[in-house]
Every structure is written in structure tokens, then in C-alpha cells.
Amino acid sequence: AQSVTQPDIHITVSEGASLELRCNYSYGATPYLFWYVQSPGQGLQLLLKYFSGDTLVQGIKGFEAEFKRSQSSFNLRKPSVHWSDAAEYFCAVGAHGQFYFGTGTSLTVIP
Amino acid sequence: DSGVTQTPKHLITATGQRVTLRCSPRSGDLSVYWYQQSLDQGLQFLIQYYNGEERAKGNILERFSAQQFPDLHSELNLSSLELGDSALYFCASTGSLRDYGYTFGSGTRLTVV
């Protein structure tokens, strides 16, 4: 069965510091991979997606993610975090027309 | 504005009652998905419709039902409500998984008292 693991429930970083959010998936083939961000009281916004090709994917708001097949990972990165990046981040796997979401990582940004 | 419209934004109702949540997908999207987000369960897939037909079912309770109408809007019906049904209910739409990914609405926050 497909599954998505986000091992970090909560991360705190200083503004201006770099960020990496981890995501591991379990799937028999290369799935479609996504990162979403959810601000408090809001819906989920798509940050970036990977279907095939270049394993380094650029997204909105300065985020990028790298697909590593050997590690079954799709980690999200940002070189310099802004206070407005504080939110909940969800990794998702798309397979057979369905999405499987991780449990999310809550990001706190301190001044 | 994501293009996916959900109404109402907030709903407070008593246990045992029935409510209907509405979702209008993004223009041109044929597929509608419903998700429940609660603190203890995270994001749970409930059900998917494609062009009026049910395509996939997730962890949807028998007290819950949904449908998609010819104009492609969808309704999620929740009946015999329990305190544990309090959650954010999201609708998402997609025309093609490959081209768009999901587009989410801003959700309906249901509080059962």
C-alpha cells in the first residue's frame, strides 16, 4: 500500500536560515510527488510537483524539492526562510488517481 | 482565490443533526475529491467523483454520502452527527492529475456541539 512519512512533526528555524523538510514514500513505482502548504484556517496550496525528468524541482515562494529514487525521498528545501513561511507543510503521493498525504510538518519561524 | 468554492465556511450544529456541504470545482475540472482534516486523524480522503460518477472511496462513514451534479458541483451530506465529526472538510478538484495536481478549496469548518 502507498504511504507517505513526514518524520518531523514540528520544526523551528530562525528567519534567514535554511530549511529542509523530509518526506519519504512507499510505492512500487515512481509516483507523482507533491508538496502543499497550509496556512492557519486556509486550504492547501500547491508548492511544487514532480512527475518525471529533472529530479530537482522548483516551486513557488522560493521552494525546491529533490526526488531521490534510491532513498524514496522527496525533501523540500528553501535556502532562506521568511517569517511568512510559518505554516503546515504536507507531502503527498499521487497514485491511481488518489492522493496520499503525510501527517504534515508544522514550521515555526523565529525572528 | 483557488477557483474551488466551498460553502459555508463555518457551520455549527448539534449532535444528531444533518448538514450539507457544497463544493464548486474549478472551471473545467471534472473530478472532485472530499477530504476530512482533524487534529487526531490528519487529512483523510473520503470520496472522489468524476463527471458525476463515484470513482473512489476512502475512509468515509456510512453516515456520510456525497454526489456530483450535472453542473459538476458536489455536495457532501453528513447525518446523525457526532462530536467526533467536528473537523475541516476540504474539497479539491482536478482536471488531470498530470497537469494540475489538486486545487483545494478553503474548506468548511464544522463544529458539532
Side-chain angles (χ1 to χ4, degrees), chain B residues 97-111:
Chain B
L97 191 66
R98 169 164 288 278
D99 292 335
Y100 304 115
Y102 275 9
T103 299
F104 278 85
S106 55
T108 293
R109 180 171 292 281
L110 173 66
T111 303

Side-chain angles (χ1 to χ4, degrees), chain A residues 12-28:
Chain A
T12 299
V13 299
S14 298
E15 190 169 15
S18 63
L19 171 71
E20 182 169 28
L21 303 183
R22 296 183 291 166
C23 173
N24 293 94
Y25 66 90
S26 172
Y27 184 59

